[in-house]
Amino acid sequence: MKFIFAFVISVILPSVFAETKKCRALVMEGGGPRNAYTVGTLKAIVDLLPPNERAYDVISGVSMAAINAFIMGMHPVGDEKAAVNEMLNFWGELTEDKVYKNWNFGVIEGFLMRSGLYNNEPFSKTIQELRNKYNHTFKRKFSISMTDLNAGNLFF
């Protein structure tokens, strides 16, 4: 996480923005269920701060927070309230059946013959539907990354 923040601050921001313009970056950490807290915090930020103080030019998200970064990246700078509402809708409507399903022989099949205890194909489909909704039209600079749990490698 420190590497991403340092990368955004030291490489991306100076090359993108003039010295006279204030740039705001939002870096969100991963951690599965913590995303609900992240979205709740962002809701408070957009409700309490004036628009010019919450207009994030650069967004970064790791792991599950990459979904939040993606949603924020699909909205133009200054439209953070709509982005946060979209995040609230996404996470609020996310049900178990949109995340995973059991293998035919349950977790035993997953443990012995598959790459995981559960089949995450439904979540892949959910993410693809989210991507298609926005037609891959990015409205601001953003970075997403994930970690390979088997190897411990970070991917951008």
Side-chain angles (χ1 to χ4, degrees), residues 63-133:
S63 190
M64 292 298 277
I67 296 168
N68 293 337
F70 175 83
I71 293 171
M72 185 75 82
M74 297 298 106
H75 291 79
V77 175
D79 201 16
E80 287 73 24
K81 188 167 257 193
V84 170
N85 286 334
E86 181 73 26
M87 289 178 216
L88 288 167
N89 289 336
F90 177 81
W91 294 110
E93 295 172 1
L94 192 64
T95 56
E96 187 177 293
D97 62 312
K98 293 179 182 177
V99 178
Y100 74 93
K101 63 182 179 182
N102 286 315
W103 298 107
N104 292 333
F105 297 102
V107 295
I108 300 298
E109 178 181 347
F111 183 72
L112 296 175
M113 302 183 323
R114 305 290 182 162
S115 61
L117 296 179
Y118 297 99
N119 181 344
N120 67 352
E121 187 177 304
F123 196 59
S124 294
K125 184 178 176 185
T126 299
I127 297 302
Q128 187 62 43
E129 288 169 0
L130 181 66
R131 289 179 63 205
N132 292 340
K133 176 180 180 178

Side-chain angles (χ1 to χ4, degrees), residues 1 13 39 45-46 52 55 78-79 82 84 100 104 115 126 134 146-147 152:
M1 180 55 94
L13 298 183
V39 177
I45 288 171
V46 299
N52 64 325
D79 201 16
V84 170
Y100 74 93
N104 292 333
S115 61
T126 299
Y134 290 104
M146 65 208 80
T147 304

Side-chain angles (χ1 to χ4, degrees), residues 11-30:
V11 177
I12 295 176
L13 298 183
S15 65
V16 175
F17 298 97
E19 291 179 27
T20 59
K21 184 177 184 219
K22 187 181 271 189
C23 175
R24 289 183 173 74
L26 175 65
V27 179
M28 296 175 279
E29 67 177 336

